[in-house]
Amino acid sequence: MKCTWMKCWTAMFLAPIFLAGDGLWFSTATAQAVEIDFEDLTLTPNSVWSGVDPTFNDGAGVNDSFISHGAVFGNYHEHAQSTWPPYGEYHSWNGWAYSNQTHNPADYMEGDYTPGDGSNGNPNPVPVGVPGQFHAVAGAGAGGSANYGVAFPGWVTLPTITLPAGGQLEGAHFTNVNFAYYSMLEGDSFAKVFTEADQDWFRMTVTGKAVGGGLLGSVPVYLADLRDANSRPDNERKDPYILKDWTYFDLSSLSEAATLEFEFLSSDIGLFGMNTPSYVAIDNIVVVPEPSTIALIGIGVCCGLVWWRRGRKK
């Protein structure tokens, strides 16, 4: 019995394969899409990892990272003594963090963010401002899962993901974090209330780069878009919104990317740059094996079946 191309391709596309009566089952689960969902990372309940350790002060910054399902998320954190006397010791981070912090979005009452001092009478306000930077506005991870990622750009570097080798990017789920969402909803001492009258928007641009850094392209992801329908050639959605649910965005035009960079811009620009808090929450990044990888899996399954069958006949 020869392993012909027809038989090999049949094995590839009909897998997983069950041989009735033989009690043998081959699975090609490795050929299925992989979701980078952060669930392989360990956190204590209602906590976050951003690299920052308030008990540690080395006077310098640290380039760091974490890995989820083969994807590498860059992180930079700093623990130092400020030369500006009012602030003393400080701790900061940028790049990527991961969180399992939760809240009930239904607890929100107008005024939780501005003035945010409890004078609106809410006995259980949602986390807002800087304390809300690690809270996905949806209340938990995508689909109610525990863990999710959070991005925040630095002064020099952008949040960067190095994707697993041998895969092709399909898309990911995004939503706002509380800090950004409620700032756009209510405004604050820096940022304005987003309105349809002002045609406001908050956009993240996902840029894909090849191995070696060559630019492959970019995809706009609108985290808020209150422009009218005729002003959105770069946004499929036509309804005015500030994103508050986990939403899937197609990134397949960047399928060959080895790394992704995330950049933020909004209509609310001040003297020192963008006023909108530049954060995003991410979950369930979908990556599928390259066709060549799937073909090799199929050939391996076919030839393995031939070898096993021959052994049984002997």
Side-chain angles (χ1 to χ4, degrees), residues 34-298:
V34 174
E35 282 195 346
I36 300 165
D37 59 6
F38 306 94
E39 299 303 319
D40 54 335
L41 301 172
T42 302
L43 285 171
T44 57
N46 201 33
S47 66
V48 61
W49 183 93
S50 64
V52 170
D53 181 355
T55 67
F56 177 68
N57 182 6
D58 62 356
V62 178
N63 285 305
D64 207 341
S65 65
F66 62 88
I67 300 174
S68 176
H69 296 293
V72 181
F73 296 77
N75 169 277
Y76 176 84
H77 49 95
E78 198 167 39
H79 318 262
Q81 191 72 28
S82 173
T83 55
W84 201 357
Y87 294 100
E89 186 176 304
Y90 70 90
H91 308 274
S92 64
W93 74 280
N94 61 70
W96 288 97
Y98 58 95
S99 171
N100 66 1
Q101 291 188 343
T102 61
H103 68 282
N104 184 358
D107 288 339
Y108 167 76
M109 283 178 53
E110 185 177 356
D112 278 351
Y113 190 87
T114 304
D117 57 4
S119 60
N120 63 334
N122 190 353
N124 190 31
V126 298
V128 294
V130 174
Q133 66 180 315
F134 300 118
H135 282 260
V137 71
S145 66
N147 296 349
Y148 51 90
V150 175
F152 174 65
W155 290 104
V156 179
T157 58
L158 298 175
T160 301
I161 302 174
T162 302
L163 296 170
Q168 292 186 320
L169 178 67
E170 287 289 315
H173 288 78
F174 297 104
T175 193
N176 281 298
V177 301
N178 281 16
F179 190 9
Y181 177 82
Y182 290 106
S183 171
M184 290 183 279
L185 189 69
E186 294 194 13
D188 56 37
S189 56
F190 295 99
K192 68 184 293 293
V193 176
F194 272 35
T195 66
E196 293 181 60
D198 290 343
Q199 300 281 289
D200 286 308
W201 51 268
F202 176 33
R203 183 183 68 223
M204 174 179 67
T205 301
V206 185
T207 299
K209 293 187 176 181
V211 176
L215 183 65
L216 295 176
S218 60
V219 175
V221 173
Y222 279 88
L223 301 171
D225 195 349
L226 278 70
R227 299 176 297 170
D228 62 60
N230 296 323
S231 302
R232 305 182 181 206
D234 53 352
N235 187 2
E236 293 182 358
R237 286 184 59 168
K238 304 305 178 186
D239 56 309
Y241 67 92
I242 303 175
L243 198 63
K244 63 178 180 179
D245 299 311
W246 285 105
T247 304
Y248 180 81
F249 288 86
D250 184 355
L251 303 176
S252 59
S253 63
L254 309 177
S255 62
E256 302 299 323
T259 60
L260 302 174
E261 292 182 347
F262 296 75
E263 190 171 9
F264 300 84
L265 189 62
S266 92
S267 56
D268 186 9
I269 303 294
L271 183 62
F272 300 102
M274 187 174 72
N275 293 326
T276 310
S278 50
Y279 293 82
V280 71
I282 187 172
D283 207 353
N284 296 353
I285 307 167
V286 181
V287 177
V288 298
E290 294 177 347
S292 58
T293 304
I294 299 174
L296 288 173
I297 291 170

